[in-house]
Short mmCIF file of all heavy atoms in Angstrom, two decimals:
data_model
loop_
_atom_site.label_atom_id
_atom_site.label_comp_id
_atom_site.label_asym_id
_atom_site.label_seq_id
_atom_site.Cartn_x
_atom_site.Cartn_y
_atom_site.Cartn_z
N TYR Q 44 -37.94 -169.54 -79.78
CA TYR Q 44 -36.76 -170.01 -79.04
C TYR Q 44 -36.08 -171.15 -79.80
O TYR Q 44 -34.84 -171.20 -79.91
CB TYR Q 44 -37.19 -170.44 -77.60
CG TYR Q 44 -36.07 -171.04 -76.79
CD1 TYR Q 44 -35.31 -170.21 -75.93
CD2 TYR Q 44 -35.75 -172.39 -76.84
CE1 TYR Q 44 -34.29 -170.73 -75.13
CE2 TYR Q 44 -34.71 -172.91 -76.06
CZ TYR Q 44 -33.99 -172.08 -75.23
OH TYR Q 44 -32.97 -172.65 -74.45
N GLY Q 45 -36.88 -172.10 -80.30
CA GLY Q 45 -36.31 -173.21 -81.06
C GLY Q 45 -35.64 -172.77 -82.34
O GLY Q 45 -34.57 -173.29 -82.72
N ILE Q 46 -36.27 -171.86 -83.06
CA ILE Q 46 -35.65 -171.36 -84.31
C ILE Q 46 -34.33 -170.62 -83.96
O ILE Q 46 -33.34 -170.81 -84.71
CB ILE Q 46 -36.62 -170.41 -85.01
CG1 ILE Q 46 -37.85 -171.19 -85.52
CG2 ILE Q 46 -35.93 -169.68 -86.16
CD1 ILE Q 46 -38.94 -170.37 -86.06
N GLY Q 47 -34.35 -169.87 -82.94
CA GLY Q 47 -33.09 -169.20 -82.51
C GLY Q 47 -32.02 -170.23 -82.21
O GLY Q 47 -30.83 -170.08 -82.53
N GLY Q 48 -32.44 -171.44 -81.64
CA GLY Q 48 -31.53 -172.49 -81.31
C GLY Q 48 -30.86 -173.06 -82.53
O GLY Q 48 -29.68 -173.40 -82.58
N ILE Q 49 -31.67 -173.21 -83.65
CA ILE Q 49 -31.08 -173.75 -84.89
C ILE Q 49 -30.04 -172.80 -85.45
O ILE Q 49 -28.90 -173.18 -85.82
CB ILE Q 49 -32.21 -173.97 -85.92
CG1 ILE Q 49 -33.16 -175.04 -85.47
CG2 ILE Q 49 -31.64 -174.26 -87.27
CD1 ILE Q 49 -34.38 -175.22 -86.34
N GLY Q 50 -30.39 -171.49 -85.40
CA GLY Q 50 -29.40 -170.50 -85.83
C GLY Q 50 -28.15 -170.46 -84.95
O GLY Q 50 -27.01 -170.30 -85.44
N GLY Q 51 -28.40 -170.66 -83.64
CA GLY Q 51 -27.22 -170.63 -82.67
C GLY Q 51 -26.34 -171.78 -82.94
O GLY Q 51 -25.09 -171.61 -82.80
N VAL Q 52 -26.82 -172.96 -83.23
CA VAL Q 52 -25.96 -174.06 -83.51
C VAL Q 52 -25.01 -173.82 -84.65
O VAL Q 52 -23.80 -174.04 -84.59
CB VAL Q 52 -26.79 -175.32 -83.79
CG1 VAL Q 52 -25.93 -176.44 -84.43
CG2 VAL Q 52 -27.41 -175.87 -82.47
N LEU Q 53 -25.53 -173.32 -85.76
CA LEU Q 53 -24.75 -173.07 -86.96
C LEU Q 53 -23.77 -171.93 -86.75
O LEU Q 53 -22.59 -171.99 -87.07
CB LEU Q 53 -25.63 -172.77 -88.15
CG LEU Q 53 -26.54 -173.96 -88.62
CD1 LEU Q 53 -27.46 -173.51 -89.70
CD2 LEU Q 53 -25.70 -175.11 -89.10
N LEU Q 54 -24.27 -170.82 -86.15
CA LEU Q 54 -23.46 -169.65 -85.88
C LEU Q 54 -22.33 -170.02 -84.89
O LEU Q 54 -21.17 -169.63 -85.07
CB LEU Q 54 -24.25 -168.52 -85.33
CG LEU Q 54 -23.52 -167.19 -85.02
CD1 LEU Q 54 -22.87 -166.66 -86.26
CD2 LEU Q 54 -24.45 -166.23 -84.37
N GLY Q 55 -22.65 -170.81 -83.83
CA GLY Q 55 -21.65 -171.22 -82.88
C GLY Q 55 -20.53 -172.03 -83.48
O GLY Q 55 -19.33 -171.84 -83.17
N GLY Q 56 -20.87 -172.90 -84.45
CA GLY Q 56 -19.88 -173.69 -85.12
C GLY Q 56 -18.90 -172.84 -85.98
O GLY Q 56 -17.68 -173.02 -85.92
N VAL Q 57 -19.51 -171.93 -86.71
CA VAL Q 57 -18.68 -171.04 -87.61
C VAL Q 57 -17.78 -170.14 -86.74
O VAL Q 57 -16.57 -170.00 -87.01
CB VAL Q 57 -19.59 -170.20 -88.52
CG1 VAL Q 57 -18.77 -169.16 -89.27
CG2 VAL Q 57 -20.32 -171.11 -89.50
N LEU Q 58 -18.32 -169.54 -85.70
CA LEU Q 58 -17.57 -168.60 -84.90
C LEU Q 58 -16.46 -169.33 -84.14
O LEU Q 58 -15.35 -168.82 -83.94
CB LEU Q 58 -18.50 -167.89 -83.90
CG LEU Q 58 -19.45 -166.84 -84.53
CD1 LEU Q 58 -20.31 -166.21 -83.43
CD2 LEU Q 58 -18.72 -165.82 -85.37
N ALA Q 59 -16.74 -170.54 -83.64
CA ALA Q 59 -15.76 -171.24 -82.89
C ALA Q 59 -14.56 -171.61 -83.74
O ALA Q 59 -13.40 -171.67 -83.19
CB ALA Q 59 -16.32 -172.54 -82.28
#
Side-chain angles (χ1 to χ4, degrees):
Y44 176 92
I46 292 172
I49 294 173
V52 164
L53 295 174
L54 181 61
V57 172
L58 292 180

